[in-house]
């Protein structure tokens, strides 16, 4: 039986590229808030002979993430891989005190990842197999003015991933944990930046380093899934060769 893979944030960018790359060999459940985009990606996958379903999900709402897991289990009977990919990056300087954006980043990037783990882990522990993949960022290792809260959420994702890895290893749960740390990727995430000057600054940086295609991150995800079961590809950092 083909592995069942749940992907959050599958309506664009890295999530969508991953869905399309995995579609041939896996059964997919795609999640995000934009139903129209999910619907068209699922249609495209089905036309190419792949198997995918979608469920509209706001990952900042635990009940919706639990409902996503239930949907995957009801549809396919099991969850083999859960990819916490949904994320936002409304970068801004601290002095602007964009409290709503701080809250939103914490809700989506940190809580959304925790809720995903919480929803996927019990079934994986029961069947003694599974894989959690968290999409963090190379900003889980460094911080710059303007990216403080975003970095904080990705440092948290890194800590959550490593702590979870140690816990499931100690419990002999046979669950693999992978954290992926991309540099600049050519997606729409820049549109979550509300500050005009900040957005221009990030756009300039993106052009200067030559952002990598989201398919590169999708390939890292595929490699992590396809590593033999007794080995976790735990931490993957990938960047454009021109990103210093
Ligand atoms: O961004 P984008 P990426 N509930 O904007 C979804 C990390 N990363 O592919 O809900 C559920 O194309 C949103 O869907 P929708 C980044 O931090 C990126 O670049 O319909 N879903 C969309 O599908 C993030 O963790 C770069 O609006 C929610 C998806 O998230 C991951 O890569 C660099 C949601 C975002 O797609 C994917 O981002 C790096 C919610 N509440 C790390 N809110 C980079 N691009 O440079 C948003 O180091 N989504």
């Amino acid at each position: 039986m083909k592995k069942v893979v749940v992907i959050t944030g599958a309506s664009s960018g890295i999530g969508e590229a991953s869905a399309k790359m995995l579609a041939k060999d896996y059964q997919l459940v795609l999640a995000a808030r934009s139903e129209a985009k999910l619907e068209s990606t699922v249609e495209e996958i089905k036309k190419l002979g792949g198997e995918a379903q979608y469920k509209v999900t706001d990952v900042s709402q635990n009940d919706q993430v639990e409902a996503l897991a239930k949907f995957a289990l009801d549809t396919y009977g099991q969850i083999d891989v859960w990819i916490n990919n949904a994320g936002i990056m409304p970068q801004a300087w601290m002095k602007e005190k964009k409290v709503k954006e701080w809250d939103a980043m914490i809700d989506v990037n940190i809580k959304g990842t925790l809720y995903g783990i919480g929803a996927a882990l019990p079934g994986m522990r029961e069947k003694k197999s599974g894989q959690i993949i968290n999409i963090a960022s190379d900003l889980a290792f460094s911080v710059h003015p303007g990216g403080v809260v975003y970095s904080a959420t990705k440092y948290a994702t890194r800590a959550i991933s490593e702590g979870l890895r140690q816990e499931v290893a100690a419990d002999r749960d046979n669950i693999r944990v992978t954290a992926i740390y991309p540099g600049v990727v050519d997606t729409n995430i820049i549109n979550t930046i509300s500050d005009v000057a900040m957005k221009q600054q990030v756009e300039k940086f993106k052009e200067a380093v030559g952002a990598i295609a989201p398919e590169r991150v999708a390939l890292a995800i595929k490699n992590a899934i396809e590593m033999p079961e007794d080995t976790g590809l735990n931490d993957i950092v990938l960047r454009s060769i021109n990103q210093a």
Side-chain angles (χ1 to χ4, degrees):
M1 185 185 146
K2 288 180 177 175
K3 279 188 172 178
V4 178
V5 182
V6 177
I7 309 175
T8 71
S11 65
S12 71
I14 293 167
E16 182 185 352
S18 302
K20 288 178 180 167
M21 192 173 285
L22 296 174
K24 193 165 59 72
D25 300 319
Y26 298 88
Q27 303 179 91
L28 305 179
V29 177
L30 310 185
R33 292 165 305 171
S34 318
E35 181 158 23
K37 287 192 198 165
L38 290 173
E39 203 171 12
S40 69
T41 303
V42 164
E43 263 173 36
E44 213 178 305
I45 286 172
K46 285 186 171 166
K47 265 187 206 151
L48 296 170
E51 172 53 40
Q53 304 286 332
Y54 75 85
K55 175 124 179 86
V56 173
T57 307
D58 181 341
V59 298
S60 69
Q61 305 299 315
N62 191 38
D63 55 344
Q64 294 190 29
V65 179
E66 291 289 341
L68 171 62
K70 186 174 182 310
F71 174 78
L73 289 171
D74 290 348
T75 307
Y76 295 122
Q78 64 188 61
I79 298 169
D80 298 294
V81 184
W82 184 288
I83 307 175
N84 287 306
N85 165 71
I88 55 171
M89 190 187 71
Q91 298 207 358
W93 287 277
M94 298 300 287
K95 59 194 169 214
E96 289 181 349
K97 202 181 169 187
K98 292 189 180 252
V99 175
K100 277 192 182 153
E101 294 186 353
W102 298 348
D103 287 344
M105 272 187 277
I106 289 165
D107 286 348
V108 178
N109 300 0
I110 304 180
K111 290 188 188 170
T113 296
L114 288 172
Y115 296 158
I117 293 167
L121 201 55
M124 291 181 180
R125 282 178 49 109
E126 202 173 312
K127 71 183 177 77
K128 288 271 177 224
S129 76
Q131 183 169 18
I132 307 272
I133 301 179
N134 297 327
I135 308 303
S137 169
D138 67 342
L139 292 174
F141 298 96
S142 66
V143 61
H144 62 270
V148 174
V149 181
Y150 181 72
S151 268
T153 66
K154 296 302 185 177
Y155 272 74
T157 305
R158 184 176 149 214
I160 291 162
S161 305
E162 174 59 12
L164 175 65
R165 184 192 71 74
Q166 291 183 25
E167 182 179 318
V168 293
D171 288 349
R172 297 287 186 271
D173 281 333
N174 210 26
I175 294 169
R176 300 185 294 172
V177 181
T178 298
I180 299 187
Y181 304 95
V184 184
V185 187
D186 190 13
T187 71
N188 291 329
I189 201 162
I190 210 164
N191 293 337
T192 61
I193 302 174
S194 62
D195 185 284
V196 177
M198 175 62 76
K199 193 172 173 186
Q200 280 171 354
Q201 185 177 305
V202 176
E203 253 160 12
K204 256 188 172 173
F205 181 66
K206 193 175 155 185
E207 267 173 42
V209 301
I212 57 172
E215 286 75 16
R216 302 291 184 270
V217 186
L219 190 55
I221 290 172
K222 190 171 187 289
N223 288 339
I225 297 173
E226 293 177 1
M227 177 63 69
E229 295 284 341
D230 61 358
T231 306
L233 198 48
N234 301 125
D235 296 285
I236 305 172
V237 183
L238 70 162
R239 300 185 184 91
S240 157
I241 52 169
N242 296 322
Q243 184 178 340

